[in-house]
Amino acid sequence: MKIWESLEPVADRYDGFVLDLWGVVHDGRKPYAGVPECLRELRRRGKRVVFLTNAPRRSWFIANMLDAMGLERDLYDGIISSGEVTWRWLKDGTHPFFAGLRGRRAFHIGPERDLSVVEDDAAEIVSSPEDADLLLNTGPDPERGPRSVEPYRDDLLACFQAGLPMVCVNPDRAVMVAGERILCAGALADVYAEWGGSICEVGKPDPAVYGPVLEMLGIADRSRILCVGDTPHTDLRGAQAAGLDALWALTGLTEDAYGPSPDPALLARVAEEEGAHPLGALRRLNW
């Protein structure tokens, strides 16, 4: 697999860029070195940039997080998140899974900070699975334990026994935050799936979440759009399913798994096992 050291050699092939956030743009605490400068150069060249993240919070919440990291809003055109898409589907009920829910009373597993996904009466949070119509899974709570599914097994079992369908608001299994591997909602969904629970995973690699991104970019020719992500299962397969080119960022989860200088042949094998066919890999998002 070819590895590019920067985005510069391929940038002018594209008019729009779809960038993952955690593990590509920032490490969960601050932007990676060179990222603000890279974004600024893309904007100088008239490129459009949209962030697409599996984060289980609405886009406005994530924009505020980026503000706090010092990433100015003029460096990008918009944000689409799993949380934003979940909120929209809860509100309008157009997605088949959401249309089939018997109601909008939700038992929530996840930190309180994620509840922007139910604001404006998109759903009502209830305190017991017996009173709920669905399980809203936004991932482990840092205070309860972010590294194991065990603290959540009893709640998951109670929801399964109550027959609740799960809305998983982040298909990622893990994410890197300041160099530490933290579990995401997808890890809890795996437990539910083992029992045969009904699950809708909202986010990459589902091509449905790319629809709002393409609207935001406003670029009709998909061959002029490039995606960059650090996870083959979600970022690369998602781009592929949406008919978009992709580069595999060797930061975030990839760096954690394979080190800072992975063997290109190993990367090619991993991508093949995931059914992903990126253009190649990108050492990091810089210019």
Side-chain angles (χ1 to χ4, degrees):
M1 181 178 292
K2 180 177 177 59
I3 298 177
W4 279 275
E5 296 299 323
S6 75
L7 197 59
E8 182 181 10
V10 300
D12 284 340
R13 301 184 200 174
Y14 301 97
D15 302 316
F17 295 81
V18 180
L19 306 178
D20 185 30
L21 281 174
W22 276 257
V24 175
V25 170
H26 64 73
D27 68 356
R29 294 285 184 268
K30 63 183 185 304
Y32 287 113
V35 166
E37 294 79 7
C38 182
L39 295 174
R40 197 165 289 114
E41 181 61 24
L42 289 175
R43 303 298 275 167
R44 190 185 73 79
R45 293 174 178 238
K47 309 298 185 180
R48 294 190 58 83
V49 175
V50 171
F51 297 140
L52 175 60
T53 172
N54 278 352
R57 287 145 236 150
R58 289 197 63 199
S59 297
W60 67 261
F61 189 103
I62 295 164
N64 289 344
M65 291 176 60
L66 297 181
D67 290 346
M69 293 182 190
L71 276 176
E72 299 94 342
R73 298 197 182 195
D74 63 359
L75 295 179
Y76 57 94
D77 292 286
I79 303 168
I80 294 294
S81 65
S82 293
E84 181 70 25
V85 175
T86 298
W87 178 81
R88 294 182 185 186
W89 287 349
L90 281 168
K91 289 284 283 185
D92 63 31
T94 55
H95 186 282
F97 187 93
F98 288 78
L101 296 172
R102 63 180 181 238
R104 293 293 186 272
R105 294 172 302 172
F107 181 80
H108 179 223
I109 295 179
E112 188 173 343
R113 70 185 180 202
D114 296 342
L115 290 180
S116 61
V117 301
V118 300
E119 65 187 3
D120 299 333
D121 298 320
E124 175 191 356
I125 300 299
V126 296
S127 59
S128 73
E130 292 73 24
D131 296 328
D133 302 307
L134 68 134
L135 165 56
L136 183 70
N137 167 23
T138 64
D141 188 329
E143 295 184 5
R144 220 172 141 186
R147 300 172 190 84
S148 169
V149 300
E150 294 310 314
Y152 310 93
R153 194 172 289 274
D154 288 348
D155 280 345
L156 288 168
L157 183 57
C159 291
F160 175 73
Q161 291 174 337
L164 300 185
M166 173 192 284
V167 175
C168 174
V169 196
N170 181 348
D172 289 344
R173 271 56 190 170
V175 69
M176 297 301 297
V177 176
E180 185 178 4
R181 188 181 180 91
I182 301 298
L183 294 184
C184 296
L188 304 185
D190 284 343
V191 175
Y192 217 62
E194 289 173 5
W195 299 332
S198 173
I199 304 168
C200 177
E201 294 192 352
V202 183
K204 298 173 284 186
D206 184 354
V209 301
Y210 288 80
V213 174
L214 295 172
E215 289 179 15
M216 201 170 275
L217 284 172
I219 298 170
D221 185 353
R222 296 193 185 199
S223 72
R224 300 290 298 176
I225 300 170
L226 178 69
C227 303
V228 181
D230 67 317
T231 309
H233 179 71
T234 54
D235 297 308
L236 303 186
R237 285 182 56 197
Q240 189 168 293
L244 305 173
D245 287 349
L247 283 178
W248 185 355
L250 303 183
T251 42
L253 286 169
T254 300
E255 185 172 5
D256 180 62
Y258 307 113
S261 300
D263 178 9
L266 170 63
L267 295 176
R269 288 197 301 273
V270 172
E272 185 66 29
E273 289 167 1
E274 288 285 354
H277 305 285
L279 297 178
L282 180 66
R283 188 76 65 190
R284 60 180 57 251
L285 185 62
N286 62 36
W287 198 260

